[in-house]
Amino acid sequence: MMLTGNWTYPTAIRFGAGRIKELPEACAEAGMNRPLLVTDRGLADLPITRAALDILEAAGLGRSLFAEVDPNPNEQNLVAGVEAFRAGGHDGVVAFGGGSGLDLGKMVAFMSGQTRPVWDFEDIGDWWQRADAETIAPIVAVPTTAGTGSEVGRASVITNSRTHEKKIIFHPRVLPRVVLCDPELTVGMPRPITAGTGLDAFAHCVEAFSSPHYHPMSQGIALEGMRLVKEYLPRAYADGTDLEARAQMMSAALMGSTAFQKGLGAIHAMSHPIGAVFNTHHGTTNAICMPAVLEFNADVIRERFDMAAGYLGIEGGFDGFRTFAQELNDRLGIPRTLSEVGVTSDRLDDLAAMAIQDPSCGGNPVTLTVENLKTLFHRCL
């Protein structure tokens, strides 16, 4: 089967191996002539980034790069990126990389014409309407990992470097106009990043499927996304050059981000403050928290996962699924406890207080409180 396609849901997507060559056409489609390529420091000097810049330069679109992006991007990175955007006279952003590069790139485009602080646009009520939508620069997204799905998201996660809180900044026009999904760009991912990003996509699907909100389209996408991760993440982890596995995982990442319009839950509510305080890898943190959260939500989600397990070819219904989730973590070298990634017990009160403020809490099938979040953090240590 040829894993190539042009899709228009939830935005224009050009999917297939080798399609990075179409970057100039994607920029033209988005209406940009002088793009700024935004990525993280780790990708700045890699061959895939140099190749993307070569393609832009050869098409007469310049060779502008901003890479002052931390693994958990913050408002200081954003200020520097907006300054680079304005100083270079750019008219659009190519957001290139994993979640950090994509999230920061989208925010550079968003904030390039705003006059209010970025925190004024947090995903609370109708705060997004405070933005001047006409000044938001166009975005082309090019993912180089298969996990966050930020390439098809209408928001970015930005860490407040003063309070160490992760904030979700939302606007409908932050959704990239064109996405280039080329699985060849993910072939060089190291095993730990393959595992962590892949399990991030899995967590998106699991939590969307668990959410009590009504959204049958997202429910179906989440279920098939879980199947793709189950079938293809171990293959991508075992052989990074397995292009079919890489492509299927890139699809799973798109599906997870699309599905979680239905809601997230305690896994992400916990992971966001942990990442902000301890600078842990987001997907890996999600994976560590998942077994405990599944157990916490068991009474409410058991019936739907009994059904899902059958579709996924997992015996034992919900209990079999929960066991599978832990065994998948183990198979991919994920630590079993948060303490193994540097989380300490002295910050549990702070983490629970931050987690209860996270918008993800609203999608958890069991009502979350500071006390039960403290219990969950403790179980994961």
Side-chain angles (χ1 to χ4, degrees), residues 251-268:
S251 293
L254 295 171
M255 295 169 76
S257 183
T258 303
F260 74 60
Q261 292 183 34
K262 182 173 178 279
L264 290 169
I267 294 172
H268 278 76

Side-chain angles (χ1 to χ4, degrees), residues 229-254:
V229 174
K230 174 181 178 288
E231 297 297 326
Y232 293 101
L233 180 53
R235 278 178 50 177
Y237 181 80
D239 178 6
T241 65
D242 184 339
L243 202 56
E244 180 187 11
R246 291 295 195 187
Q248 297 284 18
M249 282 306 303
M250 192 163 257
S251 293
L254 295 171

Side-chain angles (χ1 to χ4, degrees), residues 14 145 218 289 325:
R14 300 178 179 217
T145 65
S218 286
C289 294

Side-chain angles (χ1 to χ4, degrees), residues 179-235:
V179 179
L180 267 178
C181 283
D182 184 342
E184 290 182 350
L185 301 180
T186 70
V187 165
M189 275 199 298
R191 280 187 170 186
I193 302 301
T194 297
T197 54
L199 289 168
D200 191 20
F202 191 56
H204 292 159
C205 293
V206 168
E207 292 214 283
F209 195 76
S210 300
S211 170
H213 302 315
Y214 180 69
H215 197 321
M217 290 179 288
S218 286
Q219 195 77 345
I221 292 169
L223 182 59
E224 176 64 2
M226 286 189 281
R227 187 190 71 82
L228 292 182
V229 174
K230 174 181 178 288
E231 297 297 326
Y232 293 101
L233 180 53
R235 278 178 50 177

Side-chain angles (χ1 to χ4, degrees), residues 55-67:
I55 291 168
L56 290 173
E57 187 175 37
L61 297 174
R63 191 184 183 88
S64 298
L65 172 70
F66 177 80

